[in-house]
Amino acid sequence: MKKTLYIFSNGQLRRKDDTIFFVNEEGDQKYIPVEDTSELMVFGEVDINKRFLEFCTQKEIIIHYFNNYGYYSGTFYPREHYNSGYMILKQAEAYLNEERRLLLARQFVNGAFLNIRQVLKYYANRGKEVGPRLTEIEKLSEGIGAAGTIPELMAFEGNIREHYYKAFDAIHGHPEFVFEGRSKRPPKNAMNTLISFGNSIVYSTVLSEIYKTHLDPRIGYLHTTNFRRFSLNLDVAEIFKPILVDRVIFTLIGKKMIKKSDFKKESGGLMLKENGRRVFVEELENRLKTTINHRDIGTPVSYRRLLRLELYKLEKHLMGEKDYEPFVSQW
């Protein structure tokens, strides 16, 4: 499987013959093997030119940009080689039909809840005091099936996550990473910085996987389709954030791979320094490469591959071949 390359330094990306290379501010060059690269995640101040972008289009390399805080800014999305007018129509039909849209949105929220529950059960079995939060979340989940509108559904999802985040302190047990309530743009403390940074990367990773299918990322179901952003990747990411981002955060804190010194204050918020970002993405990439035995196909698959399989299931649902059911982790 092709790799993701993260660029944290400032510099230039250029094409040279049939490859591309990165030059940092000190003049050091690093060649990038294009045949092994699927996407670039750019966090530094990086200059590019038209010739470079044309080459990325030819090689189907996606470029995601992030701002100073690590928030997603935008994507260079090469010409869609797998675009399907038929699939776009099917996506639009499901979106415009209120009942069908609500059904899919409910599945995304239910998938998120079920994986949140799995994470809490995992740590409860290891002696963490998360029982009251788990009970409250299970009560809230009863409203998922009863929600009659998208806003109602998102309200239940928000309440579930609020109680879930309140269990984080009991899971990691480190006073330097107390949750203190969700804050973003900018995040106010270390835990929120880690959550926002990880979520941004997973949103972008799902977007890259959508590019390799017939689906159009502009048509989502839980998150409203509008003129300004992709939304389908946000829908699918809801299912996987608990088992990718959150598990990585607990590992980083538990093994003391991330410390208070890896953060710095800026513009009224907190952000990860370059070393902290490198440590985070390395652990997240390890997680994405981790394989599990897939119950349906009977073979080991990586978490990154699971993202693609989730999109294929959605395609089959939209074509009327098989009802969509979200992936639920089993530990």
Side-chain angles (χ1 to χ4, degrees):
M1 185 173 287
K2 292 186 177 183
K3 300 175 182 177
T4 300
L5 182 68
Y6 295 84
I7 299 176
F8 298 99
S9 306
N10 300 337
Q12 298 179 343
L13 279 166
R14 293 290 184 264
R15 174 184 179 177
K16 186 171 183 180
D17 299 325
D18 285 329
T19 190
I20 55 180
F21 66 94
F22 175 72
V23 185
N24 65 19
E25 291 179 315
E26 288 73 41
D28 300 324
Q29 293 188 9
K30 179 179 180 180
Y31 283 87
I32 299 170
V34 293
E35 303 303 331
D36 295 333
T37 302
S38 63
E39 59 188 341
L40 303 176
M41 302 270 195
V42 180
F43 292 88
E45 294 292 334
V46 175
D47 294 332
I48 59 175
N49 59 24
K50 177 172 171 282
R51 188 166 181 262
F52 168 77
L53 291 177
E54 288 173 343
F55 191 59
C56 286
T57 297
Q58 178 186 335
K59 297 297 182 179
E60 300 179 24
I61 297 174
I62 300 167
I63 310 171
H64 301 294
Y65 296 95
F66 301 82
N67 67 14
N68 201 35
Y69 282 99
Y71 281 112
Y72 172 79
S73 294
T75 295
F76 172 73
Y77 210 59
R79 182 177 61 249
E80 293 104 330
H81 291 266
Y82 299 104
N83 244 6
S84 165
Y86 173 78
M87 185 56 68
I88 291 174
L89 288 173
K90 290 297 181 183
Q91 281 184 258
E93 285 175 5
Y95 182 85
L96 294 171
N97 183 303
E98 290 185 14
E99 185 178 341
R100 293 180 63 194
R101 181 188 172 190
L102 186 62
L103 173 66
L104 276 173
R106 186 177 288 121
Q107 288 291 63
F108 291 131
V109 172
N110 196 49
F113 153 67
L114 291 172
N115 282 316
I116 283 172
R117 186 175 67 175
Q118 289 298 94
V119 169
L120 292 179
K121 283 185 174 181
Y122 175 86
Y123 287 104
N125 290 336
R126 281 152 182 79
K128 304 297 182 180
E129 296 294 329
V130 297
R133 297 298 178 191
L134 180 57
T135 300
E136 190 63 34
I137 285 170
E138 288 177 333
K139 288 180 183 177
L140 286 168
S141 71
E142 296 171 5
I144 295 174
T149 66
I150 298 296
E152 285 180 26
L153 197 54
M154 293 196 78
F156 279 112
E157 190 266 345
N159 287 333
I160 287 171
R161 284 198 184 274
E162 181 181 352
H163 284 276
Y164 171 55
Y165 285 139
K166 288 178 180 177
F168 276 28
D169 293 350
I171 292 173
H172 65 73
H174 288 262
E176 290 184 339
F177 294 93
V178 173
F179 178 63
E180 296 178 342
R182 188 75 174 102
S183 62
K184 47 189 174 181
R185 296 189 181 277
K188 301 299 183 182
N189 62 21
M191 177 57 76
N192 278 282
T193 299
L194 294 173
I195 293 170
S196 294
F197 184 72
N199 287 351
S200 289
I201 296 175
V202 169
Y203 294 146
S204 303
T205 302
V206 176
L207 180 58
S208 293
E209 292 302 317
I210 292 173
Y211 177 75
K212 299 158 191 169
T213 71
H214 298 295
L215 294 165
D216 191 310
R218 295 168 293 186
I219 305 175
Y221 301 95
L222 177 62
H223 295 83
T224 301
T225 296
N226 57 36
F227 293 103
R228 296 183 295 111
R229 65 175 185 178
F230 301 118
S231 54
L232 184 60
N233 58 320
L234 306 182
D235 287 357
V236 176
E238 294 296 338
I239 300 167
F240 289 92
K241 287 190 298 185
I243 56 179
L244 292 177
V245 178
D246 302 340
R247 288 293 305 276
V248 164
I249 289 172
F250 299 142
T251 297
L252 293 173
I253 296 174
K255 294 183 177 180
K256 299 183 179 179
M257 299 165 70
I258 289 278
K259 305 178 182 67
K260 204 71 173 178
S261 58
D262 289 313
F263 300 83
K264 65 178 179 180
K265 293 181 179 180
E266 187 164 318
S267 302
L270 207 64
M271 60 182 287
L272 271 172
K273 296 178 182 177
E274 182 176 325
N275 180 69
R277 292 181 179 185
R278 290 181 183 275
V279 170
F280 193 110
V281 300
E282 182 177 354
E283 190 62 30
L284 182 57
E285 280 297 315
N286 288 339
R287 183 75 176 166
L288 287 166
K289 292 173 186 173
T290 301
T291 58
I292 62 170
N293 288 320
H294 197 286
R295 290 170 296 168
D296 294 335
I297 61 179
T299 58
V301 297
S302 68
Y303 278 102
R304 185 182 290 274
R305 183 63 180 171
L306 278 174
L307 298 177
R308 183 91 61 87
L309 293 176
E310 200 70 8
L311 298 169
Y312 290 155
K313 289 194 298 184
L314 186 56
E315 285 186 333
K316 288 184 177 181
H317 173 92
L318 293 167
M319 290 188 292
E321 294 181 9
K322 186 177 181 180
D323 289 343
Y324 172 74
E325 291 185 6
F327 170 78
V328 181
S329 185
Q330 301 292 330
W331 293 312

